[in-house]
Amino acid sequence: MHLNPYGADVVNFAADLANRPPTSADELADRCRTAGLVLERPVEPSDLDLTLAVIDAWTNVVDATGEREKAKLVNEMLARSAAYPRLTDHAHGWHLHYRDDLQPLGAVLFALISVGTAMHLVSRGMDRLGRCAAAGCETIFADTSRTARQRYCSHPCANRDAVRRHRARQSTPST
């Protein structure tokens, strides 16, 4: 049962866009299709510009230091992308959209990422977006783990950091 199309998939897609920003409207369209987004209109360069602006705003949410700052930034995004929710059946049966129908892709992504981030933070926790804890890695991730303890963007980064910590302990003389 698919209850929330604005959930984990959206914040993971936002993280992917933040970590590897698209460089063209065509690339953005391809990545949206790969992510399962139905494109209702041609993707224009202005969609890329708005998407990059959305990702910049979203990255500020990720890097915010406290819950109130995160909430303020998400609320600003929601206000800029707001439209009343509506039922639609354009692609996968009846579901809710938090945007007007037939909007350009940039506006669609703005609404999806804003609402998806808000839902992610209130349902999973205000600290469930972050950057990898491995030294030298700045990759953004959305923590969708069951334990709410994700600190790394991937298993390879976690393993590298564990090896680094192990070697550091081994090279420290014991007393």
Side-chain angles (χ1 to χ4, degrees):
M1 181 180 293
H2 189 64
L3 294 177
N4 180 8
Y6 292 88
D9 291 343
V10 172
V11 289
N12 286 325
F13 185 53
D16 181 56
L17 292 173
N19 293 324
R20 297 180 309 112
T23 58
S24 70
D26 289 339
E27 179 188 350
L28 176 60
D30 289 342
R31 288 175 65 188
C32 285
R33 283 187 204 98
T34 299
L37 187 62
V38 174
L39 302 180
E40 298 172 334
R41 297 174 54 159
V43 179
E44 304 292 335
S46 60
D47 293 314
L48 176 64
D49 294 340
L50 183 52
T51 299
L52 295 175
V54 170
I55 294 304
D56 284 345
W58 187 80
T59 300
N60 290 335
V61 172
V62 171
D63 293 335
T65 55
E67 290 182 0
R68 294 210 180 274
E69 182 183 358
K70 263 188 210 321
K72 175 184 169 285
L73 293 171
V74 171
N75 283 336
E76 289 172 3
M77 290 180 70
L78 288 166
R80 289 180 53 201
S81 69
Y84 58 89
R86 67 195 76 235
L87 285 172
T88 185
D89 71 342
H90 68 98
H92 308 290
W94 289 104
H95 59 281
L96 274 177
H97 273 191
Y98 290 86
R99 59 178 165 80
D100 295 330
D101 289 336
L102 299 176
Q103 290 289 308
L105 180 61
V108 169
L109 289 176
F110 205 115
L112 284 173
I113 291 169
S114 299
V115 173
T117 300
M119 289 183 163
H120 177 78
L121 294 175
V122 299
S123 66
R124 292 185 184 267
M126 293 297 284
D127 59 342
R128 301 289 295 263
L129 295 173
R131 290 192 182 261
C132 186
C137 184
E138 292 289 317
T139 301
I140 294 171
F141 63 87
D143 183 355
T144 57
S145 69
R146 296 177 90 207
T147 61
R149 293 179 185 215
Q150 183 173 344
R151 294 181 49 226
Y152 300 96
C153 66
S154 65
H155 290 295
C157 269
N159 291 341
R160 272 194 302 278
D161 203 46
V163 168
R164 180 194 57 78
R165 288 190 318 270
H166 174 75
R167 287 180 179 159
R169 283 191 304 272
Q170 297 300 316
S171 67
T172 305
S174 56
T175 52

